[in-house]
Amino acid sequence: NTENGSQNVTESPGTLTGLMYGTTYGIAVAAVTDQGLSPYTGSLTVTTGQAGPGAPQISYVSTATTAMLTFTASGQYIPRIYCAYLTLTDISGVAQANQTESAQCNDSSVFNVTGLQEDSTYQLGGTVENTLGALSNRKTITLQTGTAAPSGPPLLITVKILNPTTVMISWSPPLVAERNGAINVYTLEFTTPSSPTPLTSLSTHTSTTFCPVQQGVPYNVSISSNNTQGAGPFSAPVAFIIPKGGPLLNTDTTTTSVTVNFTVADPPNVMRYCATVLLLAISGARQFGQREVQHCATNASVTIAGLLEDSSYQVVGELENMNGRPSNTTTTMVQTKTSAPTGPPLNITATVLYYSSGRLEWQPPALEDRNGMIAFYSIQVTSPTRPPQDIVTGTNVTSVVLTTLRHSTQYSVKITAYTAQGPGPSSSTLNFSTPILVIQTPIIFLSRGLSDSSLQVWWNAVNTSDANVTVTTYRVSVRRQTILQRTVELPATTAIIGNLSASTQYEIYIAAGTAYGFGSVSSSTNITTLDPGRVPQNPAAPSISLSATSTTLFARLILPDGVSPAGIVRYCVNFTRTQVSGVTSVLSSPVKCSTDISIRNDVEADAKYNVTAYYEQFGPIFSNHSIVHQGTSLPTTPGVPSAPQLLSVDATTISLIITPLPLLEHNGNLSGYRVEWVGATGPSFRTVGLTTLQPNITGLSPLTLYTARIAGVNQIGRGDYSFPLYVNTTRLPIVIQTPLIFFSRSLSDSSLQVWWKAVNTSYASVAVTSYRLRLGQNATVQHSVPANITTTVIGNLSSATNYQVYIEAETSRGYGPLSAAVNVSTLNTGEVFQSPGAPCIIWLGNSSVYIARFIIPAGVLPVGIVSYCVNLTRVEVSGGSGALPSVLQCSMEADAILNVEADATYNVTAYYEEYGEVFSSHSLAQRVTTSPAIPGTPSAPSLQSVDATTISLILAPLPLLEHNGNLTGYRVQWVGATGSSFRIVGLKTLQPNITGLSPLTPYTVRVAGINQVGPGNYSLPLYVNTTRELHAPRYNTTVNATWIRVDFVLPSPPANASNTLYCASFTRLSLSLVPSPLPSLQLCESRRMVTLTSVEEDATYNVTAWYIDDGRRMSPVTAPFTITTNPSRPAQLPAPNVTDIKSTQFTVSWSQLRLALRNGIINGYRVYYTVDNVTVPFHNVPSSARDANISSLVADKTYLVSVAAFGTGGVGPQSQLTSATTLPAAPLLSVRTTSDTIQINLITRRPAPMYCVEFTRVQVSGVKDAALPVEVCNTTSSVTRAGVHAYSLYDVRGWYINMLGVRSSTSTQRLVLTLASKPEAPSTPAVTFVNTTHAEAIWDMLNVTQRNGVLTGYRVLYSNGTQSVQVTLGMVTSFVIGPLQPSTNYTVILFGINVQMGIGLPSPPLKFTTLSIATSPVTVSTPAITGSNTPTTSIVVTSSSNIVIPTSLAFQLSSTQQPLPSSTLTILAI
């Protein structure tokens, strides 16, 4: 509400600059004159557009759990809301998948985000919303929090008995969220009832062994974790005991059998060894109620056959003594071997995320088809524009995001599941398409050749179909005869392209580029470079089309053919006045220029001008000036004369004196003056001639004040009036006004009707008492009617007769004058009165109000029309049903105003009514469609459901009559504590969700319709409060040999904890490292502890947890947590092989460990190499690899290489060492050339006994060659190849042999060019014929080795001793020398010419003597012409001499046709 500034503009419309983006302004306008400012207009409200997608810059300062963010907005707009979006990506180095994005917004550019996780990495995105509610692009950075001591204990502690005196303790790190940094060591405390003082042990791994353990003695173990910030809490103690008795079992499985090997610490008197198996699961599907199978043997190895493939079994081993009493039992789990899947992945879906990304999701093969744990999935993605792409996923991954897609493209996907035994069948093909992104095609609007080697092109800037995707560059393609010459990319809309060939036509194409690729290329424009040395010519002059008004002369430029308006910067015109109102008056105006092709000049009325014009193109380049055109301004009304003077006055007449108007005020052909007078009854006027300078004003009222004015009149009309003369008339006797008949009509063949205006007298006391009508001026009175009636019907008349009707007013003092006559004809005998003709209608209006403008037929007087009527019948509304019965609307005005609905279609007819209740015919029916308007106001949305972060709505569809156009959807707006947001939903989305909300927050929700005009008004609000947010629980786990317990530690207790259920899901993955999945088992308890009993030993489980609060709402489920035991490390690998040795790399390969030596799952291999007594771990390679390429090595070094396998149990021992020595490093090559030598200097780290270079010639004098390579070796580092050809290209390869006789790597330098030299001497020319005046010389073409450069031709020198002539030829091998002198000795010398060095060495001379002229006369026959009407005519000429022959013919062409036919005369041969 304060004035921000003002700007002056010289014409309307005007442009205001320097405004802010996204800002609402009030704009008022005042006129500026030499006297100051006029008052301002009312304020116009204008809102500028947003700046476009400019992402903000973000910086931060973090602690362990908070971060202070600082936003810096980019672009010119007013920020309103700053929003930060955080997605947790890893905690203490552990990747976090499928994390929910959280948002925090603030109206300040600096604010804190809290509640972060210690030692965690977040993906931080930031946006800025401006005052218009438009969002910027998102800026994404990485945010890292600080560390703290662990806040939770290690989890999932398990104890496995390895032998009668040793156990293995295994555990998992604390919850990722509780590590608060990288764990570097674990502390274990062991206690027994007899030894309460803990025995402490440290471990850097998550497993360790403990021994000796006393059998039958109970132990407790607790573990804490440590990082750089300190120690965390100890876990709850876990009890274990090695029972006395009971065998130890080792198992070995095949696909259908299991062998159980018994080991007894203190062997009793064993009679039999018995093993019992129970089927638990088939391919991970739990089996219930299965029958046990028992086998016994007298030895310590029992085999049970007939088992199922890929199945889990419980094995119980026991011993029987001689008395038949069994020992303690020992239980273990086994898994039979697996095979490849027999079924494909299922339920594949694709969700397109953006133009270049999409998410694939699927389900594993059917349980009966998996045949084991799925190791990974292979995804094959194909499209019409790319080769197939294979993507490999992890074990439990059933979704993947594709990030390198291309917009507007269809893709096909097939997925294959793999187990450890190989692949299964592929899924059926799924097709999906990325969204269509339309990138507009540029239009080349101007191009020209700048010189003989360059051209310039201009094009228009374009956009895309998505406002968030901008065009960032343009690609200019230059083609010559469809062959691509070069491509240029630049962000501008004009380009200069150089280094082109002269006089050559090129095709130019333009394509617009975005971050997602380029759009379609434009139509081509052909541009030709100029001829060599030619200077660009000015464009041709325009012609001019002139038009004029009385004050303005318009010059419209007409461009020459081939000149595009798109390339023109401005148009310029020069106006010179030559005459005004028929009088010579020369005046030159300044040149006027404009971007509009029409230019105006303010001129005098009735004046003549000489006009020339030119235009300016981009460059700048100015055209030639046009020829002179003559234009004449139109005349206008005359100027203002002086006030009239009074000559005389009486009661009814005023006599005036007029002063003539000056010539310059005539403004045309002045024909006279208009005299106006204004009295009590209103204004009147009369027109007088130029000579009538003393006019009389008559018929005035007595005793009345009159104002008299005059104005000039010319062919245009009346000018402005002069200042008035005020005159009072004298007194006059009473005057009775004359009636005016304004409408009349024939009613039949014997009657007619007339209407007239009522009149008064000059005195109010004397009233009109009646009216008398006469048929003819002197006829008797036909009718007399009272004064209150102004129409009458006259009957008993003759048919087909014209009557003159007069009327006069009667008073108590007599009759007034007769009115003017009105001619009315009765109808012909028997003729019936016809209704007036139908009107025509012109429709004007907008979305809610239409005007029907009546055009009445010719001959119908508007003064006789009483009303104008329109009949409206609504057909449809907004493209849907909506018919209504007809509605009649009438008006007394010819512009009838009609009330209509927006975007509605009507059938319309019209008619009018004349005096006497006479109705016209109806017009033809027309169909009229009104303009659309913004939609009406919808009902307030209804609430469907609400939780902590989501509101689900129910929208009532907008009634059809409220669409007001093509309704496309609804705009849903919500306002909370952090500001307002909105989303657009389609017409079918009547139950939209609002997500990403804050818990326990009040929100106001409104909805508005959207059609092609824009959004309508918002509905009444719906007020909603979000609920409390439920977080996934935290929990601790305690593990025993036979049970798993989950203890819940909730972030905050539910409102009514007594009614809360605590739930956990347990999913078995494997037994003793063998995949053995079982379906999940879910348990729920009313207390904060859930225990799974009867679990198997040495088993791996996934555990998740959640709770259900008293409102029966389920909290988020925790991420799965794996509890697993550790296997032992792999055995030692055999010594590796080293191959493909180079100076800086070699390849290491190794054989695979036998299954029995792997000791678990092999996750990969680690390659080590030792150099100079330093061992360096190279890198890890996947388990499927059997070799690795070792690069970045030092040349000429001996390396000791070993390999180790690693798995879930750790890294195995390194293999035996293999020795490998890298090759010496390749030398650097330094090249020097002459015309016949190439010298190569080989630069090495240390001297070598032998240096070698291989030379291969690939081109000679610009001609391709394929010579065999030549190898040259030397004991010095400089190797020279002599005898090479001048101006030749060689490929050079260099190496050396070191002191140990090892050849180094090779360096290659391509296309070494020798220097050019003069061409060698050609061979001696020869003569093919000689006569008196001419001789022909021929010679051999120089071969490529003689040219010493690019040969362009030859120079011939011939001389007779007194006169020499030089002729330069092209690539020819003969030349006719002449004219020569008869009987004369000549010498001819030939030189070759190349591009690089010019003229070469001379050839040996050729000498010859011309023949003598014959002494006898020579006769030549008359030419004999043969052939007629044929393209070729033979002409035969004979000579009497064999020395003198015809060398030319003269022709004369004549024809009886005029003009001569087009003919070409070519001598084909002589």
Side-chain angles (χ1 to χ4, degrees), residues 909-1160:
T909 59
Y911 65 91
Y912 55 90
E913 178 189 355
E914 291 185 333
Y915 282 98
E917 295 185 353
V918 174
F919 299 93
S920 73
S921 300
H922 284 247
S923 66
L924 294 176
Q926 299 183 48
R927 176 161 288 201
V928 178
T929 299
T930 60
S931 303
I934 62 173
T937 303
S939 303
S942 302
L943 180 65
Q944 184 178 37
S945 63
V946 61
D947 59 21
T949 60
T950 303
I951 296 174
S952 297
L953 303 174
I954 299 176
L955 306 183
L958 200 63
L960 180 65
L961 290 180
E962 298 293 327
H963 286 195
N964 294 342
N966 180 22
L967 193 70
T968 59
Y970 298 93
R971 178 171 177 161
V972 181
Q973 182 201 55
W974 61 96
V975 181
T978 58
S980 65
S981 301
F982 69 88
R983 61 173 290 206
I984 306 298
V985 300
L987 290 176
K988 296 182 178 180
T989 308
L990 296 178
Q991 295 183 359
N993 293 329
I994 304 173
T995 59
L997 306 180
S998 300
L1000 296 175
T1001 301
Y1003 284 89
T1004 301
V1005 184
R1006 303 186 299 174
V1007 64
I1010 299 176
N1011 61 15
Q1012 68 268 42
V1013 179
N1017 296 322
Y1018 279 112
S1019 67
L1020 294 175
L1022 168 68
Y1023 301 98
V1024 185
N1025 288 310
T1026 52
T1027 61
R1028 179 192 301 271
E1029 183 176 15
L1030 299 182
H1031 297 278
R1034 292 166 53 189
Y1035 63 92
N1036 297 323
T1037 56
T1038 306
V1039 179
N1040 189 295
T1042 59
W1043 51 265
I1044 301 173
R1045 189 177 72 206
V1046 178
D1047 295 302
F1048 284 77
V1049 182
L1050 295 182
S1052 59
N1056 189 352
S1058 62
N1059 293 329
T1060 300
L1061 286 179
Y1062 301 90
C1063 302
S1065 174
F1066 303 88
T1067 304
R1068 195 181 74 189
L1069 304 178
S1070 64
L1071 291 174
S1072 298
L1073 302 179
V1074 177
S1076 179
L1078 288 179
S1080 300
L1081 179 62
Q1082 298 181 359
L1083 300 176
C1084 293
E1085 299 286 348
S1086 59
R1087 56 178 182 168
R1088 298 189 184 185
M1089 181 175 67
V1090 178
T1091 303
L1092 175 65
T1093 60
S1094 300
V1095 298
E1096 303 83 359
E1097 294 178 346
D1098 193 22
T1100 301
Y1101 278 81
N1102 267 355
V1103 180
T1104 58
W1106 67 94
Y1107 65 91
I1108 301 174
D1109 70 359
D1110 56 337
R1112 314 317 297 166
R1113 295 183 302 145
M1114 178 176 167
S1115 74
V1117 179
T1118 63
F1121 191 88
T1122 302
I1123 305 172
T1124 185
T1125 58
N1126 287 338
S1128 60
R1129 62 178 187 165
Q1132 185 182 39
L1133 287 165
N1137 296 320
V1138 180
T1139 58
D1140 195 20
I1141 301 174
K1142 296 182 173 57
S1143 60
T1144 60
Q1145 63 182 23
F1146 51 66
T1147 299
V1148 180
S1149 59
W1150 55 91
S1151 59
Q1152 186 178 16
L1153 279 173
R1154 290 186 296 110
L1155 182 62
L1157 299 177
R1158 297 178 191 174
N1159 300 332

Side-chain angles (χ1 to χ4, degrees), residues 1259-1264 1287-1288 1349-1350:
Q1259 190 183 88
V1260 182
S1261 298
V1263 179
K1264 289 185 178 180
Y1287 201 72
S1288 297
V1350 178

